[in-house]
């Protein structure tokens, strides 16, 4: 069984007025070494990243996600703040970048793109046997990644307004020059050649700024799926992680069986990402095989069918189906945020409600986390 783990970027906010607070370094100072999930600073001091340990089962990862969120929140509480799983802050003004010298250089080099880059993503790491297998996986799952984005959509507000998007984080994030989908690489050599050519341009500062929707991890023997918003509900994060592991396993099996990658154009994948960003699961998505708009429920059913064997082998098929069904019924985090705002609440109160949902252990129709 492939191990897997997650990175969740969480917003640090004032629980009263919802304003993001630059407290990441302070949070790290209040937490010592532990035998569980770990915390690290990110691009902005108003966010904190929670890293799970590698897990073999959904049950293990469920506990890691909850422990990690609780760890970050406990440290934030000590400083008068809370953490919320919001992919963009509803209340926000552009801020300078604090932190290490690399981040400071990025802030200078990329101007407003960096000042406005307070977005929180959700990254899933799935173990691979070697880089060659990893690149084969990247090539064969690229057209399915927009579906994971739709399942995670959790960023309707930006700069105090409703953007009309389910995942506006995607629009903000894709202003980085290396972000988004990529062409088929063909081999590890092909992958490394692309990275080398990008770095030669002098635009990315280093390999850490290669922000593909999915990439080989630099520090771990994993494929890193980076397309998703951080999920408001912990159970949605788990559902997406389980689907991501199954997608990696399915793609690896296809490679071993000699199944070639899909020839879908990268420009078409950008259309798929845009539609997922705009509508989440509330409308039509681009079908990864038919490459035409289909109702979200049908596209999600196609994803489940595509990874059915890998899910079943891991004992995850029925829980994953339940998790996907729950998302379709109650919506992703963007629906909760809009409902809260639609009740006449202040955007600050949307943050307060999001804080409560971030730390809730299971919700109705929770799928993988019930019981």
């Amino acid at each position: 069984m492939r191990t897997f783990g997650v990175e969740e970027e969480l917003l640090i906010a004032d629980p009263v007025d919802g304003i993001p607070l630059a407290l990441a370094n302070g949070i790290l100072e209040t937490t010592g070494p532990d035998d569980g999930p770990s915390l690290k600073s990110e691009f902005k001091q108003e966010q904190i990243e929670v890293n799970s340990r590698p897990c073999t089962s959904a049950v293990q990862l469920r506990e890691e996600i909850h422990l990690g969120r609780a760890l970050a929140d406990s440290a934030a509480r000590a400083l008068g703040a809370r953490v919320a799983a919001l992919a963009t802050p509803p209340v926000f003004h552009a801020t300078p970048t604090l932190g290490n010298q690399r981040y400071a250089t990025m802030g200078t080099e990329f101007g407003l793109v960096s000042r406005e880059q307070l977005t929180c993503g959700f990254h899933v790491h799935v173990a691979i046997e070697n880089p060659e297998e990893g690149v084969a996986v990247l090539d064969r799952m690229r057209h399915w990644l927009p579906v994971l984005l739709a399942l995670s959509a959790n960023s309707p507000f930006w700069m105090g307004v409703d953007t009309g998007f389910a995942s506006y984080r995607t629009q903000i994030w894709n202003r980085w020059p290396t972000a988004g989908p990529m062409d088929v690489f063909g081999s590890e050599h092909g992958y490394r050649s692309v990275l080398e050519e990008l770095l030669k341009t002098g635009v990315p500062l280093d390999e850490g700024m290669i922000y593909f929707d999915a990439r080989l991890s630099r520090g771990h023997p994993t494929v890193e799926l980076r397309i998703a918003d951080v999920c408001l509900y912990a159970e949605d994060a788990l559902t997406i992680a389980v689907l991501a592991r199954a997608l990696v396993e399915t793609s690896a099996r296809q490679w071993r069986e000699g199944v070639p990658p899909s020839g879908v154009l990268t420009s078409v994948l950008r259309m798929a990402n845009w539609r997922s960003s705009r509508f989440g699961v509330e409308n039509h998505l681009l079908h990864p095989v038919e490459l035409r708009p289909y109702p979200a429920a049908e596209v999600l059913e196609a994803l489940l069918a595509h990874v059915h064997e890998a899910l079943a082998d891991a004992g995850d098929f029925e829980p994953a189906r339940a998790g996907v069904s729950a998302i379709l019924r109650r919506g992703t985090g963007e629906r909760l945020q809009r409902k809260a705002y639609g009740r006449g609440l202040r955007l600050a109160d949307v943050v307060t409600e999001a804080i409560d949902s971030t730390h809730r252990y299971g919700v109705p129709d929770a799928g993988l986390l019930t019981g």
Side-chain angles (χ1 to χ4, degrees):
M1 188 66 60
R2 294 179 189 271
T3 58
F4 65 151
V6 301
E7 300 171 3
E8 292 194 293
E9 296 169 351
L10 303 175
L11 181 72
I12 308 166
D14 188 303
V16 177
D17 60 21
I19 297 292
L21 299 175
L23 295 174
N25 285 343
I27 286 175
L28 293 177
E29 289 172 0
T30 66
T31 56
D34 197 0
D35 192 28
S38 60
L39 306 181
K40 62 173 288 190
S41 61
E42 252 298 336
F43 186 63
K44 293 284 188 177
Q45 283 289 299
E46 294 91 343
Q47 60 188 156
I48 194 78
E49 182 178 283
V50 184
N51 297 323
S52 78
R53 292 169 294 183
C55 300
T56 58
S57 71
V59 172
Q60 289 178 319
L61 187 56
R62 173 185 62 189
E63 294 304 314
E64 286 288 303
I65 291 171
H66 280 292
L67 286 171
R69 291 184 175 202
L71 174 66
D73 194 53
S74 176
R77 282 175 182 264
L79 301 175
R82 299 292 303 275
V83 297
L86 290 168
T88 54
V91 186
F92 173 60
H93 297 285
T95 62
T97 298
L98 306 173
N100 62 39
Q101 184 57 50
R102 177 175 177 271
Y103 287 158
T105 301
M106 289 171 63
T108 301
E109 189 74 16
F110 292 92
L112 188 64
V113 170
S114 65
R115 291 197 297 276
E116 290 189 348
Q117 196 51 245
L118 181 51
T119 64
C120 296
F122 176 62
H123 305 161
V124 184
H125 286 260
V126 183
I128 53 174
E129 293 183 5
N130 52 60
E132 196 67 40
E133 181 190 57
V135 173
V137 164
L138 295 177
D139 287 350
R140 286 160 180 79
M141 71 177 181
R142 54 198 280 273
H143 55 307
W144 291 99
L145 297 180
V147 187
L148 300 185
L149 170 59
L151 284 168
S152 74
N154 184 32
S155 48
F157 296 107
W158 182 249
M159 298 292 187
V161 300
D162 189 329
T163 64
F165 283 78
S167 171
Y168 197 66
R169 168 195 161 270
T170 300
Q171 304 304 312
I172 298 296
W173 182 253
N174 281 345
R175 295 188 295 184
W176 291 113
T178 60
M182 287 299 296
D183 297 338
V184 171
F185 298 109
S187 65
E188 182 189 1
H189 174 73
Y191 180 85
R192 299 298 178 192
S193 296
V194 169
L195 264 59
E196 183 179 347
E197 291 301 315
L198 291 174
L199 292 172
K200 283 180 180 178
T201 68
V203 176
L205 298 186
D206 50 38
E207 190 174 333
M209 283 195 69
I210 302 299
Y211 295 142
F212 303 157
D213 288 343
R215 67 184 184 186
L216 298 184
S217 171
R218 291 183 302 145
H220 307 283
T222 63
V223 164
E224 181 184 3
L225 293 80
R226 304 171 46 84
I227 196 170
D229 281 6
V230 69
C231 296
L232 182 59
Y233 301 116
E235 58 270 17
D236 293 357
L238 183 61
T239 295
I240 291 169
V242 165
L243 290 169
R245 178 169 68 167
L247 192 54
V248 169
E249 176 61 24
T250 299
S251 301
R253 292 178 184 184
Q254 288 183 324
W255 172 58
R256 290 194 294 269
E257 293 165 2
V259 178
S262 166
V264 59
L265 297 174
T266 301
S267 54
V268 173
L269 293 183
R270 292 188 181 278
M271 302 301 102
N273 280 357
W274 189 92
R275 184 171 282 275
S276 292
S277 168
R278 174 66 175 83
F279 298 112
V281 298
E282 304 292 337
N283 199 293
H284 286 56
L285 299 174
L286 200 66
H287 194 291
V289 178
E290 303 297 332
L291 303 180
R292 296 291 183 272
Y294 277 70
E298 293 185 27
V299 174
L300 292 171
E301 192 62 34
L303 172 61
L304 287 169
H306 178 65
V307 298
H308 180 280
E309 183 177 305
L311 285 172
D313 289 348
D316 289 338
F317 180 73
E318 290 304 328
R321 178 187 286 277
V324 168
S325 297
I327 292 172
L328 283 171
R329 283 193 296 271
R330 58 168 162 73
T332 64
E334 65 92 10
R335 190 190 294 181
L336 177 135
Q337 291 188 57
R338 284 196 166 110
K339 280 185 175 180
Y341 190 58
R343 289 195 295 268
L345 302 181
R346 301 173 302 136
L347 282 171
D349 295 323
V350 174
V351 177
T352 299
E353 189 157 338
I355 290 170
D356 292 340
S357 296
T358 297
H359 304 289
R360 191 173 299 151
Y361 196 97
V363 297
D365 293 329
L368 281 159
L369 294 191
T370 51

